[in-house]
Amino acid sequence: MPWGKRGSISAGAEAAVLTELAHDTSPLATGSRREGFERSFAETVGSRHAISVTSGTVALQLAVRMLDLEPGDEVIATPQTHRATVQPLCDHDVHVRFCDIDPTTLNIDPAALEALITPRTKALLLVHYGGCPAEMDSIMALARRHGFIVLEDCAHALGARYRGRSPGSLADLATFSLRNARNGTLSAEGGLITCDRDDWAERLRLLRAADRDTRIVRTPQAGAARPGLLPWAAHAAPLHRGSPRRTGRDTTMPETVAALGQAQLTELWAAVGRRRALAGRLNEVLTRYPFITPQLAPAHSEHAYHLYTCFADRQEVRDRLVLALDRRGVEIQLRYFPQHLLPQWRHRGHLRGECPVAERSWFDQHLNLPCHPLLTPSQEDYLVEALDASLAELNGGPPPPVSMPTTASGRY
């Protein structure tokens, strides 16, 4: 059962877009398609602005720049995430405090968060793990009370809902990844940053371009062309510039990727619906076995199921289940290794025991099953049957029969 080695969720729509672009004579670096995609994406998540860039990793890098971190600042971050979420913090002379997680959702635990806040806390970096929304009301109440910025990494969360709102509109800043492992499965890299503040959006557009991030104050003569120069040379007029905060970079999303993203948005909810339907079938299997439980979103939230996660009651059960599924050809991945135990963070003094819930989850309990909208009906049936048979085997009973699907590719 292949994991995520999949292509587009809307191949027909994307093929039509690519054909149109091949015959288009307008510039394909920047233009109306990118602006249209940004407007559509902002409307989809309920944010005032969406700024597109070349990847989700770049989106995180630029969003962290917006925090204006200074030496001695403290940033709280989740340990239960891909390294890209917290990697940009390595470029800053700040103290990172990893916050432990809720054992049932794998998101930041608001109670653990409150205990880590100090007068030097500048920001919080969180994820909605697997597409399960974090408890944003409690988190944002703490942020407003103590005056720090919240950045939500929504790489897993496109299509999720929290109290009727979408991740990407729940905090001060948010980032998205559109690569083909995400809920938006572009046939290319892409990322977005969402926010409501006009000044932040303006600065982000400057940051993603090749210009420096600096405050510019024009002199009375600025904007007027020198005698003998053509109008487009007006930029040569004298300018009074403040000190640059950062150098710029060229990370603007190309028109081709934006056009593909626009096509994919039309398929988003159907794709999320297929993920939820498969997750429902897997949940039904787990209810028959008391030693394993699924990750479930709180009643006021809707899970996007970018990842399907479940928890064994002890390490022996988890490890035996992984081996039983592997024998049946179901590819299992464990996401993610606790960030505070990676070498770059251990080098900064982080040690095992800092986030005991996250550590216990990774080393003893959790695993992720395939959950993708491009699994065929026969592959979905096989996955459900293989899971049931593997759990029955662990339970000491005879495993039910499993019918191998017919397929031309993938691992079975």
Short mmCIF file of all heavy atoms in Angstrom, two decimals, residues 202-241:
data_model
loop_
_atom_site.label_atom_id
_atom_site.label_comp_id
_atom_site.label_asym_id
_atom_site.label_seq_id
_atom_site.Cartn_x
_atom_site.Cartn_y
_atom_site.Cartn_z
N GLU A 202 2.40 44.12 3.19
CA GLU A 202 3.28 44.94 2.34
C GLU A 202 4.73 44.56 2.57
O GLU A 202 5.51 44.43 1.61
CB GLU A 202 3.05 46.42 2.66
CG GLU A 202 3.91 47.36 1.83
CD GLU A 202 3.67 48.81 2.19
OE1 GLU A 202 2.86 49.08 3.08
OE2 GLU A 202 4.32 49.68 1.56
N ARG A 203 5.09 44.35 3.81
CA ARG A 203 6.48 43.99 4.10
C ARG A 203 6.82 42.60 3.57
O ARG A 203 7.92 42.35 3.07
CB ARG A 203 6.71 44.05 5.61
CG ARG A 203 8.16 43.82 5.99
CD ARG A 203 8.36 43.96 7.47
NE ARG A 203 9.65 43.42 7.86
CZ ARG A 203 9.98 43.06 9.09
NH1 ARG A 203 9.10 43.19 10.07
NH2 ARG A 203 11.17 42.58 9.35
N LEU A 204 5.88 41.66 3.65
CA LEU A 204 6.12 40.31 3.13
C LEU A 204 6.31 40.33 1.62
O LEU A 204 7.15 39.59 1.08
CB LEU A 204 4.96 39.39 3.52
CG LEU A 204 4.97 38.89 4.97
CD1 LEU A 204 3.61 38.34 5.36
CD2 LEU A 204 6.06 37.85 5.17
N ARG A 205 5.54 41.16 0.94
CA ARG A 205 5.72 41.26 -0.52
C ARG A 205 7.10 41.82 -0.86
O ARG A 205 7.69 41.45 -1.88
CB ARG A 205 4.60 42.10 -1.13
CG ARG A 205 3.23 41.44 -1.01
CD ARG A 205 2.13 42.22 -1.74
NE ARG A 205 0.85 41.56 -1.57
CZ ARG A 205 -0.10 41.95 -0.71
NH1 ARG A 205 0.11 43.04 0.04
NH2 ARG A 205 -1.23 41.29 -0.61
N LEU A 206 7.59 42.70 -0.01
CA LEU A 206 8.94 43.22 -0.21
C LEU A 206 9.98 42.15 0.09
O LEU A 206 10.96 41.99 -0.64
CB LEU A 206 9.16 44.44 0.70
CG LEU A 206 10.54 45.11 0.66
CD1 LEU A 206 10.79 45.70 -0.73
CD2 LEU A 206 10.63 46.19 1.72
N LEU A 207 9.76 41.39 1.15
CA LEU A 207 10.71 40.36 1.53
C LEU A 207 10.84 39.27 0.47
O LEU A 207 11.92 38.72 0.27
CB LEU A 207 10.28 39.73 2.86
CG LEU A 207 10.69 40.44 4.14
CD1 LEU A 207 10.02 39.78 5.33
CD2 LEU A 207 12.19 40.41 4.31
N ARG A 208 9.73 38.91 -0.17
CA ARG A 208 9.80 37.81 -1.14
C ARG A 208 10.45 38.25 -2.45
O ARG A 208 10.83 37.43 -3.28
CB ARG A 208 8.41 37.27 -1.44
CG ARG A 208 7.56 38.17 -2.31
CD ARG A 208 6.25 37.55 -2.69
NE ARG A 208 5.40 38.51 -3.40
CZ ARG A 208 4.14 38.30 -3.71
NH1 ARG A 208 3.55 37.15 -3.38
NH2 ARG A 208 3.44 39.22 -4.35
N ALA A 209 10.58 39.56 -2.66
CA ALA A 209 11.20 40.08 -3.88
C ALA A 209 12.70 40.22 -3.67
O ALA A 209 13.24 39.91 -2.61
CB ALA A 209 10.57 41.42 -4.25
N ALA A 210 13.37 40.72 -4.69
CA ALA A 210 14.82 40.88 -4.62
C ALA A 210 15.23 42.15 -3.88
O ALA A 210 16.42 42.40 -3.70
CB ALA A 210 15.41 40.89 -6.03
N ASP A 211 14.26 42.98 -3.47
CA ASP A 211 14.57 44.23 -2.78
C ASP A 211 14.91 43.96 -1.31
O ASP A 211 14.52 42.95 -0.74
CB ASP A 211 13.37 45.18 -2.84
CG ASP A 211 12.99 45.53 -4.26
OD1 ASP A 211 13.92 45.74 -5.06
OD2 ASP A 211 11.79 45.58 -4.56
N ARG A 212 15.60 44.91 -0.70
CA ARG A 212 15.89 44.82 0.72
C ARG A 212 14.66 45.17 1.54
O ARG A 212 13.83 45.96 1.11
CB ARG A 212 17.04 45.77 1.09
CG ARG A 212 18.38 45.40 0.48
CD ARG A 212 19.41 46.44 0.82
NE ARG A 212 19.08 47.74 0.28
CZ ARG A 212 19.75 48.86 0.56
NH1 ARG A 212 20.77 48.82 1.39
NH2 ARG A 212 19.39 50.02 0.02
N ASP A 213 14.59 44.57 2.71
CA ASP A 213 13.53 44.93 3.66
C ASP A 213 14.00 46.13 4.45
O ASP A 213 14.78 46.01 5.39
CB ASP A 213 13.25 43.74 4.58
CG ASP A 213 12.20 44.08 5.62
OD1 ASP A 213 11.36 44.95 5.35
OD2 ASP A 213 12.24 43.47 6.70
N THR A 214 13.57 47.30 4.06
CA THR A 214 14.05 48.53 4.71
C THR A 214 12.93 49.56 4.72
O THR A 214 12.02 49.52 3.90
CB THR A 214 15.28 49.09 3.96
OG1 THR A 214 15.77 50.21 4.66
CG2 THR A 214 14.91 49.51 2.55
N ARG A 215 13.01 50.46 5.66
CA ARG A 215 12.06 51.57 5.69
C ARG A 215 12.58 52.66 4.76
O ARG A 215 13.71 53.10 4.89
CB ARG A 215 11.91 52.10 7.11
CG ARG A 215 11.37 51.06 8.08
CD ARG A 215 11.14 51.67 9.45
NE ARG A 215 10.74 50.67 10.39
CZ ARG A 215 9.50 50.21 10.53
NH1 ARG A 215 8.54 50.68 9.76
NH2 ARG A 215 9.22 49.30 11.43
N ILE A 216 11.74 53.10 3.82
CA ILE A 216 12.16 54.08 2.83
C ILE A 216 11.36 55.36 3.02
O ILE A 216 10.13 55.33 3.05
CB ILE A 216 11.95 53.56 1.39
CG1 ILE A 216 12.79 52.28 1.18
CG2 ILE A 216 12.33 54.62 0.37
CD1 ILE A 216 12.54 51.64 -0.15
N VAL A 217 12.05 56.47 3.17
CA VAL A 217 11.41 57.78 3.26
C VAL A 217 11.91 58.61 2.09
O VAL A 217 13.09 58.92 1.98
CB VAL A 217 11.73 58.48 4.59
CG1 VAL A 217 11.05 59.84 4.65
CG2 VAL A 217 11.32 57.60 5.76
N ARG A 218 11.02 58.97 1.19
CA ARG A 218 11.43 59.71 -0.01
C ARG A 218 11.62 61.20 0.31
O ARG A 218 10.85 61.79 1.05
CB ARG A 218 10.39 59.54 -1.12
CG ARG A 218 10.25 58.11 -1.59
CD ARG A 218 9.25 57.98 -2.73
NE ARG A 218 9.16 56.60 -3.17
CZ ARG A 218 9.96 56.06 -4.06
NH1 ARG A 218 10.92 56.78 -4.62
NH2 ARG A 218 9.82 54.80 -4.42
N THR A 219 12.65 61.78 -0.29
CA THR A 219 12.87 63.22 -0.18
C THR A 219 11.87 63.93 -1.08
O THR A 219 11.22 63.31 -1.92
CB THR A 219 14.30 63.57 -0.62
OG1 THR A 219 14.43 63.27 -2.01
CG2 THR A 219 15.32 62.76 0.17
N PRO A 220 11.71 65.25 -0.93
CA PRO A 220 10.76 65.96 -1.80
C PRO A 220 11.06 65.78 -3.28
O PRO A 220 10.15 65.84 -4.11
CB PRO A 220 10.94 67.43 -1.38
CG PRO A 220 11.40 67.35 0.04
CD PRO A 220 12.27 66.13 0.12
N GLN A 221 12.34 65.51 -3.62
CA GLN A 221 12.67 65.33 -5.05
C GLN A 221 12.45 63.91 -5.52
O GLN A 221 12.49 63.64 -6.71
CB GLN A 221 14.14 65.71 -5.29
CG GLN A 221 14.47 67.17 -5.03
CD GLN A 221 14.66 67.45 -3.55
OE1 GLN A 221 14.96 66.53 -2.77
NE2 GLN A 221 14.45 68.70 -3.14
N ALA A 222 12.25 62.97 -4.59
CA ALA A 222 12.14 61.58 -5.00
C ALA A 222 10.90 61.36 -5.85
O ALA A 222 9.85 61.95 -5.61
CB ALA A 222 12.10 60.68 -3.77
N GLY A 223 11.01 60.49 -6.81
CA GLY A 223 9.88 60.17 -7.68
C GLY A 223 9.85 61.02 -8.93
O GLY A 223 9.09 60.74 -9.85
N ALA A 224 10.64 62.03 -9.01
CA ALA A 224 10.70 62.85 -10.22
C ALA A 224 11.96 62.51 -10.99
O ALA A 224 13.05 62.43 -10.43
CB ALA A 224 10.70 64.34 -9.86
N ALA A 225 11.82 62.30 -12.28
CA ALA A 225 12.97 61.92 -13.11
C ALA A 225 13.94 63.08 -13.24
O ALA A 225 13.56 64.24 -13.29
CB ALA A 225 12.49 61.48 -14.49
N ARG A 226 15.23 62.77 -13.26
CA ARG A 226 16.23 63.79 -13.51
C ARG A 226 16.10 64.29 -14.95
O ARG A 226 15.64 63.57 -15.84
CB ARG A 226 17.62 63.19 -13.30
CG ARG A 226 17.93 62.82 -11.85
CD ARG A 226 19.28 62.15 -11.76
NE ARG A 226 19.59 61.78 -10.38
CZ ARG A 226 20.66 61.07 -10.04
NH1 ARG A 226 21.50 60.64 -10.97
NH2 ARG A 226 20.87 60.78 -8.77
N PRO A 227 16.53 65.52 -15.20
CA PRO A 227 16.46 66.04 -16.57
C PRO A 227 17.22 65.13 -17.54
O PRO A 227 18.33 64.68 -17.25
CB PRO A 227 17.13 67.42 -16.46
CG PRO A 227 16.97 67.79 -15.02
CD PRO A 227 17.04 66.51 -14.25
N GLY A 228 16.59 64.84 -18.66
CA GLY A 228 17.23 64.02 -19.68
C GLY A 228 17.02 62.54 -19.52
O GLY A 228 17.42 61.77 -20.40
N LEU A 229 16.36 62.09 -18.40
CA LEU A 229 16.12 60.66 -18.21
C LEU A 229 14.70 60.32 -18.62
O LEU A 229 13.78 61.13 -18.55
CB LEU A 229 16.32 60.29 -16.74
CG LEU A 229 17.75 60.44 -16.19
CD1 LEU A 229 17.77 60.00 -14.73
CD2 LEU A 229 18.74 59.63 -17.00
N LEU A 230 14.52 59.07 -19.06
CA LEU A 230 13.18 58.59 -19.39
C LEU A 230 12.39 58.36 -18.10
O LEU A 230 12.97 58.17 -17.02
CB LEU A 230 13.28 57.28 -20.18
CG LEU A 230 13.94 57.44 -21.57
CD1 LEU A 230 14.14 56.07 -22.19
CD2 LEU A 230 13.09 58.31 -22.47
N PRO A 231 11.03 58.34 -18.19
CA PRO A 231 10.22 58.23 -16.97
C PRO A 231 10.56 57.02 -16.11
O PRO A 231 10.50 57.09 -14.87
CB PRO A 231 8.79 58.17 -17.52
CG PRO A 231 8.87 58.91 -18.81
CD PRO A 231 10.21 58.59 -19.38
N TRP A 232 10.92 55.88 -16.77
CA TRP A 232 11.16 54.69 -15.96
C TRP A 232 12.44 54.80 -15.14
O TRP A 232 12.72 53.94 -14.28
CB TRP A 232 11.23 53.44 -16.82
CG TRP A 232 12.15 53.52 -18.02
CD1 TRP A 232 11.81 53.82 -19.30
CD2 TRP A 232 13.57 53.32 -18.02
NE1 TRP A 232 12.90 53.82 -20.11
CE2 TRP A 232 14.00 53.50 -19.37
CE3 TRP A 232 14.51 53.01 -17.05
CZ2 TRP A 232 15.34 53.39 -19.74
CZ3 TRP A 232 15.84 52.89 -17.42
CH2 TRP A 232 16.26 53.08 -18.75
N ALA A 233 13.24 55.85 -15.36
CA ALA A 233 14.47 56.03 -14.60
C ALA A 233 14.26 56.88 -13.36
O ALA A 233 15.22 57.28 -12.71
CB ALA A 233 15.55 56.66 -15.49
N ALA A 234 13.00 57.15 -13.00
CA ALA A 234 12.72 58.01 -11.85
C ALA A 234 13.28 57.45 -10.55
O ALA A 234 13.52 58.17 -9.59
CB ALA A 234 11.22 58.24 -11.71
N HIS A 235 13.48 56.11 -10.52
CA HIS A 235 13.98 55.51 -9.28
C HIS A 235 15.39 55.99 -8.95
O HIS A 235 15.87 55.81 -7.84
CB HIS A 235 14.00 53.99 -9.41
CG HIS A 235 15.04 53.48 -10.38
ND1 HIS A 235 14.79 53.43 -11.73
CD2 HIS A 235 16.31 53.04 -10.19
CE1 HIS A 235 15.88 52.96 -12.35
NE2 HIS A 235 16.81 52.72 -11.44
N ALA A 236 16.07 56.64 -9.93
CA ALA A 236 17.43 57.12 -9.69
C ALA A 236 17.44 58.40 -8.87
O ALA A 236 18.51 58.87 -8.48
CB ALA A 236 18.14 57.35 -11.02
N ALA A 237 16.28 58.99 -8.61
CA ALA A 237 16.23 60.21 -7.81
C ALA A 237 16.70 59.93 -6.39
O ALA A 237 16.63 58.80 -5.91
CB ALA A 237 14.80 60.75 -7.79
N PRO A 238 17.19 60.96 -5.68
CA PRO A 238 17.74 60.73 -4.33
C PRO A 238 16.68 60.18 -3.39
O PRO A 238 15.50 60.55 -3.45
CB PRO A 238 18.18 62.12 -3.88
CG PRO A 238 18.31 62.92 -5.13
CD PRO A 238 17.30 62.37 -6.09
N LEU A 239 17.08 59.23 -2.55
CA LEU A 239 16.20 58.66 -1.54
C LEU A 239 16.90 58.71 -0.19
O LEU A 239 18.12 58.55 -0.11
CB LEU A 239 15.86 57.20 -1.85
CG LEU A 239 15.04 56.92 -3.12
CD1 LEU A 239 14.93 55.42 -3.31
CD2 LEU A 239 13.67 57.54 -3.01
N HIS A 240 16.13 58.95 0.86
CA HIS A 240 16.67 58.80 2.21
C HIS A 240 16.18 57.47 2.74
O HIS A 240 14.98 57.26 2.90
CB HIS A 240 16.19 59.94 3.11
CG HIS A 240 16.61 59.73 4.55
ND1 HIS A 240 17.91 59.83 4.95
CD2 HIS A 240 15.88 59.41 5.64
CE1 HIS A 240 17.98 59.59 6.24
NE2 HIS A 240 16.76 59.33 6.68
N ARG A 241 17.09 56.55 2.99
CA ARG A 241 16.71 55.20 3.39
C ARG A 241 17.10 54.95 4.85
O ARG A 241 18.17 55.34 5.29
CB ARG A 241 17.39 54.15 2.50
CG ARG A 241 16.99 54.24 1.04
CD ARG A 241 17.78 53.24 0.20
NE ARG A 241 17.41 53.33 -1.20
CZ ARG A 241 16.47 52.60 -1.78
NH1 ARG A 241 15.78 51.74 -1.07
NH2 ARG A 241 16.19 52.73 -3.07
#
